Amino acid sequence: MTAASPPPYDRDTWPIAVCMHGFRPVAADGTRLHDAAPEVWDDVFAQVAALGFTAIELADSHIRPADLDASRRADLLAIAAAHGVTPISVHVQRQSVIQPGRGEENLAYAHRTIDASAELGLQVFSTGLHQPFSDAQRKALWFWTAQGPVDPDDAETRALAVRRLRELGEHAASVGLPMALEMYEDTYLGTADSAVRLIEEIGLDNVGLNPDIGNLIRLHRPIEDWREMHEKTLPYANYWHVKNYMRDEAGDGSWATSVPTSLELGLIDYRAMVARALELGFRGPFLMEQYGGDSLGVCATNRTYLQSLLPQSAGA
């Protein structure tokens, strides 16, 4: 194996973004954050900056870059910049390009999001194949404890996913963007082998994996070994949602349970996995993600921990 090139960043400069889970997508008065007044956006970025973050991922559950007009995009960048925060990525979620009845519409939306991302100067276009929550997931305390949609075990549908994702990857490449595909249960990105095969089937240098294995270790069912999943997927990683969960399970596989926790305390050993990722050549941004509790506060704690795992600057 060829030795990886030296990292382009150190622990003080590596892009580490915060997620938007800590903010309500819809206010008490019914106004969506996407449509909120500038002073509401100002408060969002003020809170992000107060916790020491200089980068944020725009989740389309909260703000949809594709559906902002030119003046609102300018407002978004100006307000963020006033607080020293840079939107570095967009994550299109639950808009699968093979969702029954909506695949073509979701594909068109993803294309518009890529164009908007380029106009905003973002560094990553991230998406996946997960679909909207099922009724059971919407009712559950933790959505991952209930069954959601499942991609069919069907060669024709998988081939359609490859074609449409390749089309998006080619578009992203044409505007200078990497495209990251998020691992998620019960999709063609739901196991390490299937996810790697999908990237290889797409066959574009700018299309890689978002190895969000936290999505998989939280499941209340038998799972793949987290070490093996990382070993298989990290060589394809170009963007990384990192989060962790406490997990317990019966030796006979009859039950499993999980709850969110910090990067340092959960099942995944991120000290080992980050070191391995850098060894394998990972050079993309990180995204701090957390469900439950004070999401922003835990993300800040996780950022400090993650920075301690990254290389020091030369001469430090």
Side-chain angles (χ1 to χ4, degrees), residues 34-35 63-69 72-73 109 112-113 116:
H34 176 86
D35 301 314
I63 295 176
R64 303 183 303 278
D67 295 335
L68 295 174
D69 63 25
R72 289 282 278 173
R73 289 177 193 168
Y109 169 72
R112 291 192 292 110
T113 303

Side-chain angles (χ1 to χ4, degrees), residues 113-136:
T113 303
I114 290 171
D115 286 332
S117 299
E119 292 176 21
L120 289 168
L122 305 186
Q123 297 180 27
V124 179
F125 169 70
S126 176
T127 189
L129 291 172
H130 39 316
Q131 298 183 34
F133 290 132
S134 65
D135 288 341

Side-chain angles (χ1 to χ4, degrees), residues 200-272:
E200 292 178 341
E201 288 168 336
I202 292 168
L204 297 174
D205 291 341
N206 71 310
V207 178
L209 283 176
N210 170 359
D212 189 351
I213 288 167
N215 286 339
L216 304 177
I217 66 161
R218 68 191 180 189
L219 299 175
H220 289 197
R221 63 173 91 160
I223 59 171
E224 298 178 81
D225 184 274
W226 59 268
R227 302 169 191 82
E228 294 177 4
M229 285 193 281
H230 281 95
E231 189 66 22
K232 291 176 179 178
T233 60
L234 286 175
Y236 297 84
N238 60 0
Y239 182 53
W240 197 355
H241 284 185
V242 291
K243 57 180 178 286
N244 218 344
Y245 293 82
M246 292 283 194
R247 179 181 174 88
D248 196 12
E249 60 184 40
D252 63 3
S254 60
W255 61 265
T257 187
S258 64
V259 291
T261 189
S262 68
L263 288 188
E264 193 172 8
L265 296 178
L267 178 66
I268 297 171
D269 177 1
Y270 275 100
R271 183 177 299 275

Side-chain angles (χ1 to χ4, degrees), residues 14-17 88 123-124 238-241 282-287:
W14 207 294
I16 302 176
I88 66 167
Q123 297 180 27
V124 179
N238 60 0
Y239 182 53
W240 197 355
H241 284 185
F282 177 73
R283 301 295 182 261
F286 292 92
L287 183 279

Side-chain angles (χ1 to χ4, degrees), residues 63-248:
I63 295 176
R64 303 183 303 278
D67 295 335
L68 295 174
D69 63 25
S71 65
R72 289 282 278 173
R73 289 177 193 168
D75 285 345
L76 179 69
L77 292 179
I79 294 169
H83 293 284
V85 177
T86 301
I88 66 167
S89 56
V90 62
H91 184 55
V92 171
Q93 57 188 6
R94 307 194 182 281
Q95 306 269 0
S96 172
V97 295
I98 55 170
Q99 181 182 341
R102 287 187 57 91
E104 291 186 2
E105 183 178 344
N106 290 344
L107 177 64
Y109 169 72
H111 276 298
R112 291 192 292 110
T113 303
I114 290 171
D115 286 332
S117 299
E119 292 176 21
L120 289 168
L122 305 186
Q123 297 180 27
V124 179
F125 169 70
S126 176
T127 189
L129 291 172
H130 39 316
Q131 298 183 34
F133 290 132
S134 65
D135 288 341
Q137 287 178 307
R138 282 190 288 270
K139 294 174 182 176
L141 173 62
W142 302 114
F143 62 83
W144 56 85
T145 64
Q147 183 62 55
V150 179
D151 284 350
D153 183 13
D154 173 75
E156 185 176 346
T157 305
R158 185 181 178 104
L160 178 63
V162 170
R163 289 196 303 273
R164 288 181 171 173
L165 291 173
R166 184 186 297 128
E167 178 183 323
L168 292 177
E170 289 171 344
H171 183 181
S174 74
V175 296
L177 281 172
M179 181 169 111
L181 298 179
E182 182 183 22
M183 296 183 68
Y184 199 89
E185 77 268 13
D186 297 327
T187 73
Y188 299 137
L189 293 155
T191 68
D193 287 339
S194 181
V196 166
R197 183 159 65 92
L198 191 71
I199 296 299
E200 292 178 341
E201 288 168 336
I202 292 168
L204 297 174
D205 291 341
N206 71 310
V207 178
L209 283 176
N210 170 359
D212 189 351
I213 288 167
N215 286 339
L216 304 177
I217 66 161
R218 68 191 180 189
L219 299 175
H220 289 197
R221 63 173 91 160
I223 59 171
E224 298 178 81
D225 184 274
W226 59 268
R227 302 169 191 82
E228 294 177 4
M229 285 193 281
H230 281 95
E231 189 66 22
K232 291 176 179 178
T233 60
L234 286 175
Y236 297 84
N238 60 0
Y239 182 53
W240 197 355
H241 284 185
V242 291
K243 57 180 178 286
N244 218 344
Y245 293 82
M246 292 283 194
R247 179 181 174 88
D248 196 12

Side-chain angles (χ1 to χ4, degrees), residues 8-33:
Y9 310 109
D10 58 39
R11 63 181 54 171
D12 295 320
T13 61
W14 207 294
I16 302 176
V18 66
C19 71
M20 300 190 76
H21 295 335
F23 302 102
R24 296 177 63 177
V26 183
D29 66 1
T31 303
R32 294 190 171 277
L33 185 59

